[in-house]
Amino acid sequence: MQLNSLGTPLILSLMLFFFGGTFLLSLTIGRKRENADNYMTAGNQVGFGISAASMTATWIWAASLYASATSGYTYGISGPIHYGLWGALMILFIYPFGRRIRSLAPEAHTLAEILHARHGRSSQLILAGSNVLGSLLSLTSNFIAGGALIAMLSPLSFSAGILMIATGVLLYTLWSGVRASILTDFIQVCAMLGAVVIIVPAVFFAAGGPEIFVSGAVNLTASQQDFFSSEAFFNQGAPYIAAVLAYAIGNQTIAQRLFAVREDKIKQTFVTATIGYGATVIGVGVMGVLALYLGIDPANGDTNNLIPQLASIYLGPVLLCVFFVMIIGSLASTADSDLAAMSSIVMTDIYGRNIAGEGDADPRKMLLIGRMTMIVASGAALFFASAQFNILELLVLVGAIWGALVFPVIASFYWSRVSNRAFTVSVLAALAAFFPVRFGWIALEGGVAVVTDILGVIGVGVIAGLMIFGFLGARAGIIGGVVVAAAVAPFAVGFLHLYPVLTASLLAYAVSMILCVALSFANDHHFDFDAIGRKTGSFDKVAS
Amino acid sequence: MSPTILTIYAMICPVVVAVVLFVLVRAFLGEWQKARAEGRTII
């Protein structure tokens, strides 16, 4: 099939238009003397429209668009749902925890800062370290997606592509931090959502419209034609539920928007972002289903090429430009959030709460540190992107670290008996259980398989219990978790170990919960939650 | 599965996205106008 492409001058013009526009927009909010707190939280008073747009834009990244299409291509018509629906619902499920976190620490800058106030340095640094690693990998992944797209649609090289993307994102984020990130997210989400509204129907009808589903049905297996495919659920949906809950809780980019939005607009923001994310990602994922019906083989065997391929086959030059802006918008909005997140962590958790010490942090020095962090992080991400590391494998690892953190983090915000020892030991033990299973260092057979299956069932109960707990409270959460685990057990024991990726994630939840609960019951000291509000908060007020 | 249902499945998401986009733009414009009236930046 004929692949359309965009020439070098057109690609350069589009990049100039996109990044030039976002840079000019960021200038409208630029201040000669930035405020360190606002650089990290945008003043905690951002309205619904910008916050919801920013939450949506941050949660949608280039990899999620590609992965949803891959899921559609691999698992058929239920594939995009098993990617997009669960990812969307996780935004909704963390909303009650977000409200609790804001009520405990209204002026905090990072989740790790709250853990510092709650437990101390080791817990803080576990979360902060995993956040920096996660954001760096996410940044790298977005650069790679941009570089690959530019290389596919133009004569420009991959290296030139990643350099342009990195420079463009850094240009508008460097001076105003999260304020610029959040404001430009609005424009980027408009580009992304607007493109989905136009491009998905355009590709659908250009490829043949409803007739595709008749003529192409022979290309699908029975499982791929099934809306309720168990294969899609166990291979894509279930591991994703476990991973995304962890991402939502552990990810500083989401926490940063939680601290930025006006407290009375948190619910609206999360609900709108849930719908926006779900519809966008499932909508783009349907393009993978279309590719399956059309019998298209992904270029170079890489399913990440499916969306660009469909676009370049079925879209003319104008819509191809719109498509290009959609992907650039998705990756730039997440990349600027990653830069803002990393700078906030280094400013707050490394310098503000540890190196400078209580009350001695210099806001001007913090800003310099934040900006230097962005520059260094961009350089590191460019290096990793050039080296073509397997970023998605590394991101799975970060997801596992966050999976081990979910229960201890949430319990720490609600249960006064959780201690620093309970937190740290439970997280490290959960990671020790995760790695051998995830990487196949131990064979899941015989007695080991029975143990991992039972722990996996407990892990399912923990995830269900946490979701119910967020909305209905502790009693309902515990009962719900036990009921779900009991209901799943007869089917899962003897079966779960056949899915090692899923088993490993569930083990992390189960082990961290068991140890955290056991060690907390052994602790008689009750923490005063009011202390968190006193220990977190403004750096600028203290300095002035 | 019938082509009609599959077509609805393929087309429903762009419609929902359009509605979300409308909600976001309307809220943004309201906040922008309010910020202008109060003489401050929107963020």
Side-chain angles (χ1 to χ4, degrees):
Chain A
M1 282 185 190
Q2 175 70 39
L3 294 180
N4 298 313
S5 68
L6 305 170
T8 302
L10 189 52
I11 286 280
L12 292 176
S13 303
L14 286 171
M15 296 288 278
L16 191 65
F17 166 74
F18 182 83
F19 286 116
T22 46
F23 176 64
L24 289 176
L25 187 67
S26 73
L27 288 183
T28 64
I29 57 161
R31 293 173 185 155
K32 203 171 178 184
R33 283 196 62 180
E34 278 289 346
N35 169 309
D37 290 317
N38 285 348
Y39 193 83
M40 294 184 272
T41 66
N44 313 106
Q45 290 297 322
V46 179
F48 158 71
I50 306 181
S51 296
S54 181
M55 189 75 88
T56 309
T58 300
W59 204 235
I60 300 170
W61 55 320
S64 60
L65 299 179
Y66 290 172
S68 182
T70 296
S71 185
Y73 187 79
T74 309
Y75 301 112
I77 56 178
S78 67
I81 295 174
H82 283 300
Y83 192 95
L85 180 65
W86 304 126
L89 286 181
M90 286 310 145
I91 305 175
L92 197 63
F93 279 119
I94 61 164
Y95 140 72
F97 303 124
R99 284 188 69 171
R100 169 72 176 169
I101 292 167
R102 269 298 286 272
S103 71
L104 288 175
E107 293 185 321
H109 308 85
T110 68
L111 270 182
E113 180 190 16
I114 304 176
L115 277 184
H116 180 260
R118 174 70 178 87
H119 290 310
R121 193 170 295 180
S122 61
S123 307
Q124 176 199 25
L125 293 179
I126 288 174
L127 186 58
S130 71
N131 279 162
V132 169
L133 184 61
S135 281
L136 185 59
L137 294 175
S138 167
L139 188 65
T140 306
S141 171
N142 281 297
F143 287 174
I144 289 173
L149 181 71
I150 289 170
M152 181 179 249
L153 294 182
S154 78
L156 288 165
S157 69
F158 172 81
S159 301
I162 58 173
L163 192 61
M164 284 192 288
I165 300 281
T167 307
V169 172
L170 189 60
L171 189 69
Y172 69 80
T173 317
L174 187 66
W175 191 255
S176 299
V178 78
R179 292 173 64 239
S181 169
I182 289 176
L183 181 65
T184 54
D185 278 348
F186 176 77
I187 298 300
Q188 289 156 353
V189 92
C190 286
M192 264 191 286
L193 270 54
V196 171
V197 172
I198 297 167
I199 283 172
V200 175
V203 168
F204 177 67
F205 287 107
E211 172 60 23
I212 302 168
F213 298 125
V214 179
S215 58
V218 291
N219 296 323
L220 277 73
T221 63
S223 168
Q224 287 171 330
Q225 293 188 51
D226 184 3
F227 250 118
F228 303 97
S229 160
S230 59
E231 193 184 333
F233 178 75
F234 283 110
N235 284 300
Q236 175 66 49
Y240 197 56
I241 293 171
V244 174
L245 179 63
Y247 269 76
I249 288 292
N251 196 325
Q252 170 63 18
T253 60
I254 297 296
Q256 199 148 25
R257 275 136 193 86
L258 172 68
F259 296 128
V261 63
R262 263 172 52 184
E263 206 162 352
D264 60 319
K265 299 292 181 190
I266 292 177
K267 184 177 182 180
Q268 270 176 284
T269 298
F270 275 70
V271 170
T272 309
T274 299
I275 300 169
Y277 173 90
T280 302
V281 172
I282 294 172
V284 173
V286 165
M287 290 172 71
V289 180
L290 295 181
L292 183 62
Y293 271 96
L294 291 163
I296 291 174
D297 291 321
N300 306 320
D302 184 353
T303 49
N304 284 330
N305 290 330
L306 278 172
I307 299 182
Q309 247 179 291
L310 277 176
S312 59
I313 292 170
Y314 293 109
L315 300 179
V318 175
L319 286 181
L320 202 52
C321 291
V322 174
F323 166 79
F324 181 78
V325 171
M326 174 183 85
I327 299 294
I328 297 297
S330 71
L331 64 89
S333 61
T334 308
D336 65 38
S337 307
D338 286 322
L339 286 179
M342 279 189 278
S343 68
S344 296
I345 290 168
V346 175
M347 287 165 79
T348 300
D349 298 306
I350 307 294
Y351 171 73
R353 300 290 174 209
N354 280 301
I355 294 175
E358 291 303 318
D360 291 329
D362 175 0
R364 291 185 67 183
K365 195 182 279 183
M366 288 184 89
L367 280 170
L368 179 65
I369 289 169
R371 289 170 181 146
M372 291 300 295
T373 302
M374 287 193 188
I375 294 170
V376 171
S378 297
L382 275 175
F383 170 74
F384 290 134
S386 306
Q388 302 264 339
F389 280 113
N390 189 337
I391 297 302
L392 287 178
E393 280 288 320
L394 294 172
L395 274 169
V396 170
L397 286 190
V398 178
I401 297 173
W402 286 337
L405 281 161
V406 171
F407 184 88
V409 166
I410 292 176
S412 297
F413 293 144
Y414 290 86
W415 191 14
S416 61
R417 291 174 79 153
V418 181
S419 63
N420 190 35
R421 183 163 157 262
F423 184 99
T424 308
V425 169
S426 60
V427 170
L428 295 179
L431 290 176
F434 170 85
F435 284 109
V437 175
R438 176 63 179 79
F439 292 105
W441 298 337
I442 55 169
L444 296 183
E445 53 194 22
V448 176
V450 174
V451 172
T452 57
D453 282 354
I454 292 171
L455 286 171
V457 168
I458 295 172
V460 172
V462 172
I463 293 171
L466 286 173
M467 291 174 179
I468 297 167
F469 164 68
F471 287 99
L472 301 174
R475 185 185 296 267
I478 292 168
I479 293 170
V482 171
V483 168
V484 170
V488 166
F491 309 101
V493 175
F495 171 73
L496 260 183
H497 63 274
L498 300 175
Y499 297 90
V501 175
L502 174 60
T503 301
S505 297
L506 294 174
L507 272 181
Y509 279 93
V511 171
S512 62
M513 184 279 289
I514 292 168
L515 285 174
C516 187
V517 169
L519 291 170
S520 298
F521 272 124
N523 173 34
D524 289 331
H525 175 72
H526 286 265
F527 180 77
D528 172 17
F529 282 111
D530 290 339
I532 293 179
R534 293 193 295 273
K535 289 182 183 174
T536 56
S538 176
F539 290 107
D540 286 277
K541 272 187 218 161
V542 171
S544 60
Chain B
M1 193 159 294
S2 83
T4 308
I5 291 175
L6 289 171
T7 302
I8 293 170
Y9 171 54
M11 292 297 100
I12 192 76
C13 285
V15 174
V16 176
V17 169
V19 173
V20 172
L21 186 58
F22 172 76
V23 169
L24 293 176
V25 170
R26 197 177 65 163
F28 176 85
L29 291 177
E31 287 157 19
W32 180 62
Q33 280 181 335
K34 194 174 172 209
R36 268 189 71 182
E38 293 170 3
R40 58 176 173 81
T41 57
I42 191 167
I43 189 166

